[in-house]
Amino acid sequence: MKSLAELQKIKARMQDRVVLREGSGDIRVVVGMATCGIAAGARPVLNEFVKDVSEEGLSDKVTVSQTGCIGICQYEPVVEIFQADKEKVTYVKMTAEKAKEVVEQHLKGGKVVEQYTIGAYQS
Amino acid sequence: MKELSLNILDITENSTKAGATLTSILIDEEENTLRLTIEDNGSGMSEEILRGVTDPFYTTRTTRKVGMGLPLLKLAAEQTGGFMKVESVSKDVDPVHHGTKVEALFYQDSIDFTPLGDVVSTVCTLIQGHPDTDFYFRHRILNQQKDVLVELDTRQIREVLDGVPLNEYEVIKWIEEYVNEQYSGPQDTE
């Protein structure tokens, strides 16, 4: 059974690491979590990013956060990736499987997954 | 919405946007009913806004003109024969005791009842996105087989963590397992 004592141990383990990490994340993954996003399936997409970023050891440079409606509801679930000195990348109609690929190729490999971007859908 | 838990996520996001420092999500299942209560201490709404809040063509957002969160929950409740009501006290009216309470009743034996779905995922998603906001989650199921009581209070977790953010993945994972174990009962892994 999970206990608060176990949480204590996690705390002790995390405390040093968290201090090191502060301010170092230079890639921001933002998932739209308004009514439109949630209804279209944003929850599993967000959870996949959170899981994969941690499990792939990317937590030091990638932060995953949530935002409201950005006005392109027909393309939800929408994920935006911001990186210093680079143009914003907007992924549309995302799924957990696509999120996995984006983590692997874009966040880890530095290569934008073109076929999932809004540009691929609009052209 | 495919699951009520997604409506819960959606409505609770409104609470955090209204600046709530504490939002309670209470689910009570008894015989054939499910009662959902989401209560926050956010900025509340004026009477005028409150009147229009279940109208799909009313929203305060500026990126898009249609707000669908509460109308969707109302529809989900009413289509089972239940109801939804919203009470709110604006901080302009009462600077101390302000906030919003959304209450919805569902009849689970209705063919149009939307299943609750993965409410644990909803709770974890809320904590991930709003690590500095507190949530109290309580799910009570009373039926003939057994009574289930599942509870999570982030204030308690925050105290233990002593500065470690609640949205650290290991913490979120612990929370997920901690809540899931309460549903399934103690598992002997030794």
Side-chain angles (χ1 to χ4, degrees):
Chain A
M1 194 72 185
K2 294 271 163 230
S3 65
L4 289 173
E6 206 183 291
L7 191 61
Q8 276 280 359
K9 281 184 211 155
I10 295 177
K11 179 206 110 186
R13 222 173 28 240
M14 300 306 287
Q15 235 159 7
D16 311 330
R17 262 194 272 167
V18 171
V19 176
L20 278 174
R21 190 184 303 159
E22 259 169 35
S24 58
D26 65 340
I27 303 178
R28 276 197 309 130
V29 176
V30 181
V31 183
M33 293 293 286
T35 308
C36 45
I38 293 169
R43 190 180 65 183
V45 172
L46 174 86
N47 290 339
E48 190 70 34
F49 272 111
V50 169
K51 175 171 163 276
D52 293 351
V53 162
S54 171
E55 288 182 355
E56 298 293 330
L58 298 167
S59 305
D60 289 344
K61 59 169 191 167
V62 181
T63 56
V64 182
S65 57
Q66 306 176 15
T67 189
C69 174
I70 60 165
I72 47 168
C73 314
Q74 70 273 33
Y75 291 112
E76 293 284 355
V78 171
V79 175
E80 294 177 310
I81 297 188
F82 298 89
Q83 193 169 3
D85 306 324
K86 283 193 183 160
E87 220 172 300
K88 174 183 82 177
V89 178
T90 305
Y91 288 111
V92 299
K93 295 185 184 273
M94 288 295 283
T95 61
E97 290 73 35
K98 291 179 184 175
K100 220 177 173 57
E101 277 182 63
V102 168
V103 171
E104 195 59 37
Q105 295 184 37
H106 187 160
L107 301 181
K108 266 181 97 175
K111 196 174 150 288
V112 175
V113 190
E114 292 292 345
Q115 75 261 38
Y116 302 151
T117 61
I118 191 160
Y121 276 85
Q122 282 174 332
S123 55
Chain B
M1 300 273 181
K2 284 188 195 120
E3 304 176 359
L4 278 184
S5 68
L6 294 175
N7 293 94
I8 296 173
L9 176 59
D10 185 28
I11 302 301
T12 312
E13 294 280 358
N14 295 343
S15 295
T16 62
K17 260 180 242 125
T21 55
L22 176 65
T23 306
S24 300
I25 301 166
L26 314 174
I27 305 168
D28 289 283
E29 292 184 63
E30 209 171 332
E31 289 173 25
N32 62 337
T33 62
L34 184 151
R35 185 179 295 272
L36 167 69
T37 311
I38 300 172
E39 191 171 7
D40 69 57
N41 63 356
S43 59
M45 293 176 272
S46 69
E47 273 179 48
E48 190 208 340
I49 291 180
L50 191 57
R51 265 198 302 274
V53 89
T54 54
D55 177 347
F57 300 102
Y58 183 86
T59 182
T60 54
R61 210 178 337 83
T62 49
T63 47
R64 190 165 41 88
K65 286 202 169 64
V66 186
M68 293 299 288
L70 284 168
L72 284 174
L73 181 66
K74 186 169 186 262
L75 177 71
E78 286 178 353
Q79 72 188 7
T80 72
F83 64 85
M84 183 197 80
K85 62 176 183 186
V86 187
E87 291 164 29
S88 192
V89 178
S90 164
K91 70 171 194 282
D92 298 330
V93 174
D94 188 334
V96 184
H97 303 101
H98 52 81
T100 301
K101 182 177 174 181
V102 177
E103 209 179 336
L105 182 80
F106 301 83
Y107 286 94
Q108 305 198 51
D109 48 7
S110 160
I111 191 161
D112 292 316
F113 175 71
T114 314
L116 183 59
D118 193 350
V119 75
V120 180
S121 174
T122 279
V123 171
C124 290
T125 303
L126 284 166
I127 296 170
Q128 195 278 333
H130 313 281
D132 300 323
T133 304
D134 279 312
F135 298 99
Y136 172 67
F137 170 68
R138 193 201 67 208
H139 187 180
R140 207 158 35 193
I141 307 166
L142 298 172
N143 63 25
Q144 283 137 348
Q145 285 84 43
K146 59 170 184 173
D147 296 342
V148 179
L149 174 66
V150 175
E151 245 183 330
L152 182 84
D153 192 333
T154 59
R155 288 169 294 188
Q156 197 185 10
I157 293 165
R158 194 178 304 283
E159 204 183 301
V160 174
L161 286 175
D162 189 25
V164 171
L166 269 76
N167 60 353
E168 282 294 325
Y169 181 61
E170 277 193 61
V171 175
I172 295 282
K173 226 169 64 174
W174 180 87
I175 291 172
E176 185 183 9
E177 283 167 27
Y178 178 71
V179 178
N180 274 327
E181 276 186 7
Q182 292 184 52
Y183 280 106
S184 55
Q187 305 283 318
D188 209 349
T189 50
E190 298 300 314

